Amino acid sequence: MKILVINCGSSSLKYQLIDSETEAVLAKGLCERIGIDGKFTYKPANGDKVVADIDQPDHKKSVSIVLDALTDKDNGVIADLGEIGAVGHRVVHGGEKFAASTLITEDVMKAIEECNDLAPLHNPANIIGINACTELMPGVPQVAVFDTAFHQSMPAEAFLYGVPYEYYTKYGVRKYGFHGTSHSYVSKRTAEILGLDYDKAKIVVCHLGNGASICAVDGGKSVETSMGLTPLMGLIMGTRSGEIDPGAMEYIANKEGMDLKGIMNVLNKQSGVLGMSGVSSDFRDIDDAIKDGNAQAKAAKDAFIHRVVTYVGGYIAAMNGVDAIAFTAGVGENAPDVREAVSRQFGYLGVQIDDSLNNIRGEERIISTPDSKVKVLVVPTNEELMIARDTEALAK
Ligand code: AMP
């Protein structure tokens, strides 16, 4: 079955057409600046990349441009739309309503809409993408794959916050966690590579990208993760603060004369390694600045690594052991020095990295020494493939 995977943002739409039998990507690309002007990128597996300025006033127009490109007689990869057996959508927040991917029905759409409050920047865009596909591909089954679903297995002791209980029962204030599709894919793949029984393995996944989170996967289930009610919690990220004393928010607000909206904007968009370094949210720029002797950039990177270490250590304790630590996403896949610095702190558990094995970027590999008690791996994430697999299983 050919599956169209869609990841819709408020002004962007990423897509891949995946053949579920071979798991090959037939074509992929990106619609950007939707509602502004419109940029379109299309790359067929065996052809040249096409980049074009195409007006995209709304997501429906973007989906129609994608479908035209896929069926184009010169550059397309399918003869007609009938070849697309199902569409899989990334949906950011499923609240407590969705512990697994689901076939989209009218009731499911209502339930997703009810989660909008929890992810006001993301869920409405996901819904727009689903509606656009419903209009343009009537009758084609669609599946929602939630970033939060994998973490619904967390026990209450891990997901409850230390606030009045009625905030949980009345408003759903709790830890939900994100990047679930990535944590699920990477942990499964880690068990496969190591020949471990997934149902028994204890794995810590470090998803370190522009957004970053850590997950403890015990017996194939997420039992702890570092993002919270929103994706602002936990690690220091590209532009997000991660964990911060809530008291600091009031203090900064008073000093800077800011309201809550202003504070949230700073914590989401002007913090993380960007705010700390004053240089960039991108680790490549941070590394260049460190080479030039920028002490503030070095402090930002050191703090990022320190925070990762404290979470990994906490999660190993929560699972009462660990078989493997896996690194993924932009930084996790491409920064050997970050992997080395984190792993070094777990030497006391018998973690040992092989520097030559660790000297890779974006490749799947075991990077610990053969006699390392705990295995360490790089596993490039593949959220689109997970979405395609779930979509095929539900649409069949
Ligand atoms: P992601 O959100 O997973 O796409 O990760 C994007 C981030 O990965 C970028 O902002 C960079 O900080 C980081 N990154 C990508 N390539 C490299 C690299 N070669 N070395 C260090 N960091 C990188």
Side-chain angles (χ1 to χ4, degrees):
M1 186 189 287
K2 282 168 192 139
I3 300 195
L4 180 61
V5 174
I6 298 232
N7 180 354
C8 230
S10 54
S11 66
S12 70
L13 185 155
K14 277 192 235 162
Y15 64 93
Q16 287 194 3
L17 187 69
I18 295 179
D19 183 333
S20 64
E21 269 153 53
T22 59
E23 299 201 329
V25 177
L26 304 174
K28 64 179 176 181
L30 175 64
C31 302
E32 291 168 279
R33 300 178 61 84
I34 302 170
I36 305 164
D37 39 27
K39 185 175 163 197
F40 176 68
T41 310
Y42 171 76
K43 168 81 179 74
N46 299 317
D48 293 333
K49 186 168 165 181
V50 178
V51 183
D53 292 327
I54 305 179
D55 199 31
Q56 295 169 65
D58 54 37
H59 289 74
K60 187 175 165 194
K61 178 70 182 172
S62 305
V63 174
S64 86
I65 294 168
V66 171
L67 299 179
D68 286 347
L70 293 171
T71 51
D72 184 78
K73 62 177 175 2
D74 298 324
N75 225 352
V77 290
I78 50 175
D80 63 74
L81 290 184
E83 287 188 43
I84 299 178
V87 184
H89 294 268
R90 174 192 181 212
V91 178
V92 167
H93 220 306
E96 285 190 329
K97 294 174 198 293
F98 299 101
S101 303
T102 183
L103 202 58
I104 296 173
T105 61
E106 274 182 32
D107 286 345
V108 166
M109 286 299 275
K110 277 193 206 123
I112 296 174
E113 270 167 38
E114 282 163 18
C115 299
N116 278 3
D117 263 2
L118 290 166
L121 297 179
H122 294 100
N123 269 32
N126 302 148
I127 289 169
I128 289 170
I130 296 169
N131 286 334
C133 290
T134 309
E135 279 186 52
L136 293 166
M137 289 182 277
V140 176
Q142 298 190 70
V143 167
V145 179
F146 301 91
D147 269 25
T148 50
F150 183 60
H151 302 298
Q152 278 296 300
S153 50
M154 275 190 291
E157 68 210 40
F159 74 65
L160 285 177
Y161 288 137
V163 296
Y165 193 71
E166 73 243 34
Y167 295 167
Y168 167 53
T169 51
K170 282 201 316 211
Y171 312 124
V173 174
R174 52 159 284 178
K175 178 189 282 191
Y176 290 96
F178 297 86
H179 292 142
T181 311
S182 175
H183 288 302
S184 164
Y185 173 82
V186 172
S187 57
K188 266 195 202 111
R189 193 68 205 117
T190 297
E192 270 168 25
I193 295 166
L194 296 174
L196 296 172
D197 182 350
Y198 190 51
D199 294 335
K200 294 199 180 113
K202 295 178 192 292
I203 299 168
V204 175
V205 179
C206 304
H207 178 115
L208 310 179
N210 194 30
S213 71
I214 300 198
C215 182
V217 184
D218 193 350
K221 294 190 164 57
S222 167
V223 294
E224 246 300 5
T225 193
S226 59
M227 282 179 169
L229 175 83
T230 73
L232 182 55
M233 177 55 184
L235 303 178
I236 294 169
M237 308 182 212
T239 65
R240 282 173 250 168
S241 64
E243 184 185 325
I244 178 175
D245 175 358
M249 294 168 63
E250 186 193 26
Y251 186 77
I252 298 166
N254 287 339
K255 291 283 181 197
E256 293 276 320
M258 252 187 245
D259 60 9
L260 190 56
K261 205 170 159 210
I263 289 282
M264 294 313 289
N265 189 49
V266 171
L267 295 183
N268 270 301
K269 300 195 175 139
Q270 295 164 37
S271 297
V273 290
L274 167 69
M276 293 180 78
S277 67
V279 172
S280 169
S281 62
D282 193 305
F283 273 76
R284 288 163 287 197
D285 301 331
I286 301 274
D287 285 341
D288 288 344
I290 294 172
K291 274 189 212 125
D292 291 342
N294 184 326
Q296 204 178 315
K298 171 90 168 64
K301 187 163 177 182
D302 288 348
F304 168 83
I305 290 167
H306 176 76
R307 182 77 58 89
V308 172
V309 167
T310 59
Y311 273 84
V312 172
Y315 290 4
I316 292 172
M319 288 195 290
N320 194 16
V322 64
D323 296 306
I325 301 170
F327 289 92
T328 195
V331 180
E333 292 168 26
N334 293 298
D337 61 331
V338 171
R339 297 192 294 257
E340 197 278 328
V342 172
S343 303
R344 196 189 317 137
Q345 296 307 106
F346 298 99
Y348 74 96
L349 289 176
V351 173
Q352 230 188 327
I353 294 283
D354 179 318
D355 288 340
S356 60
L357 292 176
N358 184 32
N359 192 17
I360 46 155
R361 292 172 202 280
E363 257 178 65
E364 190 177 274
R365 184 189 277 180
I366 301 171
I367 58 168
S368 46
T369 60
D371 55 356
S372 179
K373 273 216 307 244
V374 178
K375 304 298 172 200
V376 185
L377 298 88
V378 178
V379 180
T381 193
N382 197 339
E383 287 160 285
E384 291 79 11
L385 180 58
M386 275 306 273
I387 294 174
R389 283 179 184 166
D390 278 11
T391 301
E392 193 216 12
L394 287 161
K396 249 181 183 169

